[in-house]
């Protein structure tokens, strides 16, 4: 056998995602390049690693076992790189973080200076919904996760970062009648929801249910960005995190619609498994967050206090 580390990385990513197309996107490679490397890797084994059923890719039991070995090999390679850099006085290794989709407006600011200070650290960020984030954390695929709702079934440790405020937002072109009955307002406009499994959707549904509103017109979209563009276009209104609409409010593309009981206020938390054995990179990042988080909040997010 004469497989390469590059082939191991590609095969492991394919087994994790079960899609050549998505694996190529995450690895920043073309789909044909990934397919060729998968074929070259497969050619070294007499037993199939993958199979296609109904145009869907599946990993065979043998493939899953090879993937486990591949992960161990790649982790050992990372350890070798870390030890080499450590002897040279550098911090190196991988930092894996899973974040909910709205977290993409938050997490980069808490990472930027750390990565600049430690150029030998490889950063991997997986952006998904709350359910996907918690699954990544539970199976120990990541060092940390960024969530606004803490999991109830996992034993975790956490660092509170900053507030997450959700308002009812509408297009700036939306004209509202002057009225005191906000319940009537919510029940007569089209409301745009995130997909099932989203923490923003859960917060929105809880608010509507608690206040006894009856939603007549419902639209569902699968990303925060899609919801934002739909609201700007006038397709409907939505309860959304303030953190993701700074520029749209500044440019007068969106307006905050005052409703009693809003904003909903939660907290962004950086969490990790209580039983997690943190790598040197992960430990260094925690030290960085504990010492720099207030400075980052004051410098990058002070504008939130004006709403």
């Amino acid at each position: 056998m004469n497989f390469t580390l590059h082939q191991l990385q590609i095969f492991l990513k394919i087994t994790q995602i079960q899609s050549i197309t998505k694996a190529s996107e995450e690895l920043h490679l073309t789909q044909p390049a990934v397919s060729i490397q998968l074929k070259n890797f497969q050619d070294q084994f007499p037993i199939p690693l993958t199979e296609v059923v109904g145009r869907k890719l599946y990993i065979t039991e043998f493939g899953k076992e090879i993937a486990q070995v591949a992960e161990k090999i790649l982790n050992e390679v990372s350890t070798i790189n870390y030890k080499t850099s450590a002897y040279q006085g550098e911090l190196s290794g991988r930092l894996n973080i899973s974040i909910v989709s709205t977290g993409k407006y938050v997490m980069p600011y808490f990472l930027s200076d750390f990565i600049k200070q430690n150029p030998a650290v490889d950063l991997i960020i997986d952006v998904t919904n709350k359910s996907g984030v918690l699954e990544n954390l539970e199976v120990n695929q990541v060092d940390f996760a960024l969530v606004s709702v803490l999991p109830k079934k996992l034993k975790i440790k956490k660092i509170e970062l900053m507030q997450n405020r959700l308002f009812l937002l509408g297009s700036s072109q939306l004209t509202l009648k002057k009225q005191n009955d906000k319940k009537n307002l919510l029940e007569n406009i089209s409301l745009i929801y995130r997909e099932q499994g989203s923490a923003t959707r859960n917060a929105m549904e809880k608010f509507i249910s608690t206040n006894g509103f009856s939603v007549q017109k419902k639209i569902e979209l699968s990303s925060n960005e899609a919801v934002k563009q739909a609201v700007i276009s006038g397709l409907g209104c939505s309860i959304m995190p303030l953190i993701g609409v700074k520029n749209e409010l500044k440019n007068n593309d969106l307006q905050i619609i005052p409703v009693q009981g809003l904003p909903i206020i939660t907290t962004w938390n950086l969490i990790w498994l209580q039983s997690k054995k943190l790598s040197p990179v992960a430990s260094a990042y925690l030290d960085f967050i504990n010492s720099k988080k207030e400075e980052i909040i004051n410098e990058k997010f002070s504008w939130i206090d004006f709403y």
Side-chain angles (χ1 to χ4, degrees):
M1 289 190 180
N2 191 28
F3 52 77
T4 65
L5 292 176
H6 185 52
Q7 288 172 346
L8 290 178
Q9 290 171 331
I10 289 175
F11 179 64
L12 181 60
K13 180 60 69 174
I14 290 172
T15 63
Q16 292 170 343
I17 301 177
Q18 296 193 33
S19 167
I20 292 176
T21 300
K22 292 181 180 178
S24 65
E25 292 173 355
E26 290 204 13
L27 293 168
H28 304 291
L29 298 170
T30 64
Q31 185 172 334
V34 171
S35 297
I36 289 171
Q37 291 300 324
L38 176 61
K39 181 181 183 302
N40 291 341
F41 188 58
Q42 172 65 79
D43 287 345
Q44 301 179 67
F45 299 94
I47 304 171
L49 299 168
T50 63
E51 57 184 357
V52 177
V53 180
R55 300 184 67 180
K56 182 173 176 58
L57 181 72
Y58 293 91
I59 313 302
T60 65
E61 287 302 315
F62 178 67
K64 291 177 182 177
E65 291 192 20
I66 296 300
Q68 291 175 357
V69 177
E71 185 172 17
K72 291 178 182 178
I73 292 172
L74 292 171
N75 285 338
E76 290 299 324
V77 171
S78 294
T79 301
I80 291 172
N81 292 334
Y82 160 70
K83 289 185 180 296
T84 302
S85 297
Y87 271 94
Q88 296 174 324
E90 293 182 345
L91 181 68
S92 71
R94 287 182 296 177
L95 183 63
N96 289 273
I97 301 178
S98 187
I99 65 176
V100 293
S101 58
T102 312
K104 64 179 176 284
Y105 302 111
V106 177
M107 201 66 224
Y109 295 99
F110 288 94
L111 285 162
S112 178
D113 286 345
F114 179 77
I115 296 301
K116 289 177 183 176
Q117 293 168 14
N118 302 283
V121 171
D122 294 325
L123 175 64
I124 302 171
I125 301 179
D126 179 53
V127 182
T128 182
N129 61 25
K130 184 190 73 171
S131 298
V133 167
L134 296 184
E135 182 179 345
N136 287 338
L137 190 69
E138 186 174 9
V139 299
N140 200 31
Q141 283 191 354
V142 296
D143 298 303
F144 302 107
L146 181 72
V147 295
S148 58
V149 178
L150 294 174
K152 296 180 181 179
K153 297 182 179 180
L154 296 178
K155 293 182 179 180
I156 60 163
K157 293 182 179 179
K158 67 182 177 73
I159 294 178
E160 293 185 359
L161 295 185
M162 56 182 285
Q163 280 191 347
N164 180 37
R165 304 181 188 179
L166 292 85
F167 291 83
L168 179 65
L169 293 162
S171 167
S172 58
Q173 305 303 314
L174 179 64
T175 302
L176 300 173
K177 296 179 181 179
K178 292 185 178 180
Q179 58 180 358
N180 295 321
D181 189 359
K182 297 300 181 183
K183 179 174 181 179
N184 186 60
L185 165 66
L186 282 171
E187 291 183 344
N188 285 280
I189 61 175
S190 295
L191 283 177
I192 303 175
Y193 287 70
R194 282 284 306 279
E195 79 284 2
Q196 291 285 354
S198 160
T200 298
R201 180 187 179 118
N202 291 345
M204 183 172 172
E205 288 182 329
K206 183 177 180 181
F207 174 76
I208 290 171
S209 175
T210 300
N211 289 276
F213 298 150
S214 177
V215 177
Q216 301 299 321
K217 304 173 184 177
K218 181 188 294 186
I219 301 169
E220 182 176 310
L221 297 174
S222 59
S223 75
N224 194 68
E225 194 63 31
V227 171
K228 181 166 64 177
Q229 294 304 321
V231 173
I232 291 173
S233 73
L235 191 60
C237 298
S238 186
I239 294 176
M240 301 175 64
L242 183 66
I243 194 72
V245 295
K246 175 185 178 181
N247 291 333
E248 288 74 18
L249 289 171
K250 182 179 179 181
N251 296 335
N252 200 34
D253 294 322
L254 291 174
Q255 63 172 311
I256 293 176
I257 302 172
V259 174
Q260 187 175 358
L262 294 179
I264 301 167
I265 299 177
T266 59
T267 302
W268 288 111
N269 291 277
L270 188 71
I271 65 175
W272 63 100
L273 291 176
Q274 195 175 91
S275 59
K276 178 76 173 178
K277 183 178 180 181
L278 296 177
S279 68
V281 171
S283 295
Y285 182 62
L286 280 186
D287 291 340
F288 170 83
I289 286 295
N290 281 318
S291 63
K292 295 291 186 179
K293 73 169 186 174
E294 295 300 332
E295 179 182 328
I296 295 169
I297 292 169
N298 291 334
E299 181 180 346
K300 303 297 184 181
F301 299 104
S302 59
W303 62 272
I304 291 176
D305 295 332
F306 293 98
Y307 291 92

